[in-house]
Amino acid sequence: MAEPCFDVAHLGHVEVLTDKFDESLDFFVNVYGLTESGRDDTSAYLRGWDDYEFHTLKLTRSDTTGVGHVAYRTTSPEALERRVAVIEEMGWGIGWVDGDRGHGSAYRFTDPDGHIFELYYDTKVYEAPPEERPALKNLAQRYHGRGVCVRRLDHLNLLARDVSVIRDFMCEALGSRVTEQIQLDNGRLGGCWFTVNNKSYDIAYTEDHSGMSGRFHHVTYAVDSREDVLRAADIFLENGVFIETGPHKHAIQGTFFLYVYEPAGNRVEVANAGARLILQPDWQPVTWTEAERRKGQAWGLKTIESFHTHGTPPVETSTDKS
Amino acid sequence: MAEPCFDVAHLGHVEVLTDKFDESLDFFVNVYGLTESGRDDTSAYLRGWDDYEFHTLKLTRSDTTGVGHVAYRTTSPEALERRVAVIEEMGWGIGWVDGDRGHGSAYRFTDPDGHIFELYYDTKVYEAPPEERPALKNLAQRYHGRGVCVRRLDHLNLLARDVSVIRDFMCEALGSRVTEQIQLDNGRLGGCWFTVNNKSYDIAYTEDHSGMSGRFHHVTYAVDSREDVLRAADIFLENGVFIETGPHKHAIQGTFFLYVYEPAGNRVEVANAGARLILQPDWQPVTWTEAERRKGQAWGLKTIESFHTHGTPPVETSTDKS
Amino acid sequence: MAEPCFDVAHLGHVEVLTDKFDESLDFFVNVYGLTESGRDDTSAYLRGWDDYEFHTLKLTRSDTTGVGHVAYRTTSPEALERRVAVIEEMGWGIGWVDGDRGHGSAYRFTDPDGHIFELYYDTKVYEAPPEERPALKNLAQRYHGRGVCVRRLDHLNLLARDVSVIRDFMCEALGSRVTEQIQLDNGRLGGCWFTVNNKSYDIAYTEDHSGMSGRFHHVTYAVDSREDVLRAADIFLENGVFIETGPHKHAIQGTFFLYVYEPAGNRVEVANAGARLILQPDWQPVTWTEAERRKGQAWGLKTIESFHTHGTPPVETSTDKS
Amino acid sequence: MAEPCFDVAHLGHVEVLTDKFDESLDFFVNVYGLTESGRDDTSAYLRGWDDYEFHTLKLTRSDTTGVGHVAYRTTSPEALERRVAVIEEMGWGIGWVDGDRGHGSAYRFTDPDGHIFELYYDTKVYEAPPEERPALKNLAQRYHGRGVCVRRLDHLNLLARDVSVIRDFMCEALGSRVTEQIQLDNGRLGGCWFTVNNKSYDIAYTEDHSGMSGRFHHVTYAVDSREDVLRAADIFLENGVFIETGPHKHAIQGTFFLYVYEPAGNRVEVANAGARLILQPDWQPVTWTEAERRKGQAWGLKTIESFHTHGTPPVETSTDKS
C-alpha cells in the first residue's frame, strides 16, 4: 500500500440549492442555528458557530433543490497543485474559478456521477464582529444558543448511480480513505463512507435508484452531545419542521442522527459522533452485508423507506415519497 | 511556513509506573474501566474499549511512580525512518529497541527534560476474544459498561523545567503543531499543547517548579459525553477514589475534565471534548496571558493549587500537597 | 369535585412471574442493574439503588410469565383502613395477607380485569450492608454502576379488556387521578394513565385485544437522564437483549423510553421523565384522539405493532408477534 | 406522629425585587429564558415554559433587591381555610389580599424572620397564545429554546437569623416536611430543607450571619437534564452573567446546581435533580454535621465563601463580597 496522502485537509463547504430561498434561510439561521456572515445577489453565506471559515454552507437561489457544489480545502498551496495535476490526469477536471466571498481561486471538477467539486487553499477566515465574539478566545464565535445551534460542518451524503466507480474516484482524486461500506448481494456497493482526515467520514455516497444523476442526499452539522441532538428534535417539533427519522444511532459509523427536511425539501441532519475518530493509519474498511443491514440501525430501528428514495432534486415522477 | 508534516499518526501508549501495582491495576480495570489484554512479569497491558491496539496503557511495577515512556505510532514505515533521521540529527536519539507484547521494533529517544519516548509503526492490533466481541463490527471491543468505561486514550501531560525548549523540540522531532499555549509575564511558557493530527492536543507540557525533571502530570482517556464524565465522578466517589478537581470545563482547549489520583498517586483524567477538532491546516496557536488565566477555568472555577504542584514521582520534600 | 385524596403514597412493588427464573434474575441483576436484597424458595427480592424499601420487584418462579401482584403503600395506617373500607364496599376485596419478606400485613383485592393488588403500610426499609453503603447519606444505596443501574421503580402498565371500567375503579379504589388518556373513535378508552402522587403516572392501562384478562404490559424503572437511557440501549445491545423499540420520546407523558424483553418475555422499560411533575391539584386529564395518536410518538416514530399485541402471559395462539 | 398534611399543593410564585428593572427583565426573559405573560405598572409576570400558572416569578421595581413575597397554592379551597385557621391561631397572620393578575384572593402572613408569604387557591392558568402553543398538548407552552429555557419553578432559599425557629414554623404553618438539615456544632441549625409534596424540597432556609432579617438567598428553576445545566453555563458565560459557583452536585439533596447573579444582584440558580423524589410517607430528615459539610459538595468542590455571605438586599456595610 502507498503511503497515506494528506493533501486534502477537510471538507470546506457545501452549496445547497433552494427554490424557497427565504424559507430555507429562515430555517438555517433561526431553527438550525447557523450564522449568516455575508450575502450576495444569489446566495447567503452561512456557518456553524465554531466553523473557522467565512462560510461552510452557501445557500443559493435556484429553480430547483439539491447540491450546487462541494468544496474541500487542501493542506497547502503545493498540495492543491498536486491534487489538480492528479485530477487533470484523471480527466475529470473543469478548470479554475475565481472563488467567491468565502475563498480564493479554486479548481473545479466533477465526480463520475456529475456532482461539481472544488478544491481551494486560499480562504477567508471568519472574523467575529464584536457582538459575536466568544468569551473564550479559542472558539471561532460565541455559543449564541439560537435554535439547534450546530457547532461545525461535519459531512455530506451524495447519491450516485454507481458507488463503486465513486469509490475509486474519491480515493484517487482526493486521496480519501474508505472507512466503511455496504456490499450488496448483487455485487454492487450500496454505500461508501470516505474521509480525508481523522474524522470517521466527511462524505458518503449511497446508491441512487431513481435513474437520475448528481443528486443530493443530505448535509450534516455536528453538535457536541447526544443531548444536543435530542434537544434539536424538540426544536424541530415546535417549529413545524418535518422529522424524517431519528434520533437514533446508526450501526454504520455509530453516528447519533436526526434527519429533517428544510422547507425546500433538502434533507438536513444533526449528528453527534462522541469520541470516535479514525486515528489508525492503516485502518481497513469495515464492510457490511445486506443481511447485516437488515438488522436495522444500532438499536434496531428499521431504516425508513424514504431514506432510500428521497433525494434532491426530487424525481420528476410522483414516486418520491417525501 | 513549511508544509505540515504527517509522519506521526497518533499517540500510541503511555507507560505508567506504580509502587502499588495490585491497587493500581484494580483501579484501572474495575473503576476506570480499562481492559487487560496481556501481562508479563513487570507490566499489565491495558486499553480502552475502542482502542484499536493491543494496549494504550502499560502499567509497570516500580519502586516509584511517574511515566516510564511515551510512544507514538507513525503513519508508515517510511515516515518512521524519516522521523528517526530527524531525531538522530537533533542529537536526542537513544536507539532501537525490540518492542514488547504490544508492538514491534521502536526507536527510543528523550525529550530535553529527560522523558523517554518511542516511535514505532509495527503494532499489534487488538483482537477481541469471543466474550468481548462488539455487537457492531466497527468497534474494537464491546461496550462492557464496567466502571467509568473510558473509550480511548486521549492525551497525556508532562512536566518540564523549560516548556519553551520543549516547544521547539516537539515541533521538530514529531512534527507536532502547537494549538494553544500559556505565555507567562516573566517571558516563560507556562504550558503548551501539541497535536500531530486533528485532535486538539495529544500531549501537553506544563512548567515544573519543583527542580526535578522527567516528571508526569497526568494521562487522560476520552469518553463520549459530558454525562459520562459526571457519571465517572459518582463512580469515583462511591469507590473512594480521591477527586482532585472537576468536573468542569477548561478554558484552554474547552475540555470537560475530571481529575483523580489512582492509588499510587499518579493523576488520571476523564475527559470529553465534544465535537471540537483542529481541522484547519494553518491553525495559529492560541496564546493565553497570565491575566487571562487568573479568570480560572471556563465557567470561573479557580484552578486548584495542587494542580500546579502535584506530579509523579512526588517531590522528595514534604511540600507536595497530594 | 371532591377534595383530592392522599391516602395512597406510592407504587410499592410489582411481582413479576417468570418461567426462566435464572435467566430472568441474571438479566435483572447484571444487565438491568437491580440489587438482590433477599431470596426465598420461590422469589428473589430486587430493588433499584435508590429505592428505599427492601424490594420493589419480586421475581417469582412460575410456569408462565406476567404479573403476580401489584402493591401500593399508603400514607399512614389510618389511610390504609380508609382504603380497605372503600374497596370492601366496592366489592373487589379479597382479604388480608401476612405480607412477605419485604412488608407487613397487606390487604388484597382485584381490579375488574382480574389483576391482583395489595395495599400495605408496614414496610421493611432497605438497610445497605457495609459494601453497599452510599458515600452520600441521603441515598438508599451506593450508585454501584452495574449494568443499566436503574435508580427507582417508576411505574407499570397493565392490559385490560375495558379500560373505562378500570378508570372508574382506580379513581375510587385508590383515589388515583387520571393524568392522560386515549379516546378511541369507537367510544372506548384505548389507554389511561393514573397517579396517586406528583409523578405524572405510576400505573397505566391499555386495551387488551387478545380476549385474555389479567395480563401484563411492562414494568419501568427510572434513570436520572436521557443519556442513561441511551447508555442502556448500548448495554442491552451488547448483552443480546431484545430491544423492541426506542429510545424515543412518548407523545403521551413525554417519557423518554426504551423497551426490551427480559429473557422470559416480560416487557421491561427504562425511562426518564426529566423535570416533569404533576403539581397542579386540579389537573384536568389530557385526552388524545386516534387521529392525534396516528402521528406517532413525540418526534414521529411510528408505534411498533408488537406494542399493541405483546403482553405476558402470551396469547395461546400464534398471533403474538414477540 | 400525626398523619401527613396535604393542604398545600406546591410553591406557586416568588416575587423578586430589583432596582435595575430593565436589566433584570432582559436577563430573566432573554438569558434565563422565562416568558412574560403580563405586566403592570410595577411588575412583570414571568414563568417557565412548562409552568401551568400565569406566572411563577413576579419581578417588581423597587429601590432595593430581595424577595417581595412567596406564595404557595393549596390543594383546595377547604385546605386554604384550614391553613388560614392554623396560621391565625399561630399569630403570624396579616390578612386577606385581593390577589393580582396571576391569582385570586390570598392570605398573607409572615414567617418569624419577617419574609412575607401568601396562600391562595384561586389561580389563573396560563393560556398559551397561538405562537406559543406547544406541539404536544400535555405541555403548558412550547419549548421555545430561548436562552437557558428553564422548565418550571423549582424552589427558593431564604436566609433567617434562627433556622430552628423557622423549622417549627414551616411544619406547623404549611404542614411542610423536613427532608434534610444541617446541625451545627454550636447546637444551631445551619440550614433546613422543606417540602409540601414529593419534590425533595421547595424551600430552604440557611442561617443569616449579617444581623439583618427577611433576606433572600436565591430562586431556582428546574431544567430536564444536567446537560441543560452545563449548556446554561455557556449561555451565562457568553452573556456576561456573573457565575458564582458550579456546575457541580450538592451533597445535600443531590441537586446539580449552577448559581449566577442577575443584573441587580439577586442570586439565581439553574438546577436538575434527576429522578430523585421523596415518595416515602414516613421519610426521616437526613441530618448533616459540620464535619460532613467540610468535605464540600458531592464531588469535593469547596463551598464558595460568598455562598455564606451574599444575600439580597445586600448588607449595608462593605463586607458583602458580591
Side-chain angles (χ1 to χ4, degrees), chain D residues 6 17 28 47 75 97 99 112-113 129 152 159 163 202 216 222 248 266 278 300 310 315:
Chain D
F6 299 97
L17 308 180
F28 280 115
R47 42 181 292 293
T75 50
V97 293
D113 201 70
R152 62 164 170 75
L159 292 164
V163 177
D202 48 46
F216 176 67
H248 200 89
N266 293 298
I278 303 295
H310 178 75
V315 179

Side-chain angles (χ1 to χ4, degrees), chain C residues 17 21 28 103 105-106 136 153-154 167 183 186 266-267:
Chain C
L17 308 180
F21 182 81
F28 280 114
H103 61 93
S105 70
L136 298 171
L153 175 62
D154 190 85
R167 181 185 157 134
Q183 181 65 60
N186 61 13
N266 293 297
R267 187 187 281 106

Side-chain angles (χ1 to χ4, degrees), chain A residues 299-316:
Chain A
W299 301 316
L301 181 72
K302 296 308 170 196
T303 303
I304 202 161
E305 177 60 20
S306 61
F307 204 72
H308 299 300
T309 57
H310 177 75
T312 47
V315 178
E316 286 87 8

Side-chain angles (χ1 to χ4, degrees), chain A residues 47 51 65 76 103 177 182 197 200 219 242-243 251 253 262 269 274 277 279 291 293 316:
Chain A
R47 41 181 292 294
D51 278 323
T65 50
S76 68
H103 61 92
R177 294 190 285 165
I182 299 170
N197 51 37
S200 55
V219 64
F242 175 71
I243 298 175
Q253 303 286 3
E262 57 87 35
E269 185 188 17
L277 294 172
L279 300 172
R293 296 302 304 126
E316 286 87 8

Side-chain angles (χ1 to χ4, degrees), chain C residues 51 53 93 104 120 123 135 149 165 194 197 229 239 259 278 308 313:
Chain C
D51 279 324
E53 291 178 287
Y120 68 100
T123 194
C149 203
V165 168
F194 304 89
N197 51 37
V229 178
N239 283 279
Y259 293 98
I278 303 296
H308 298 301

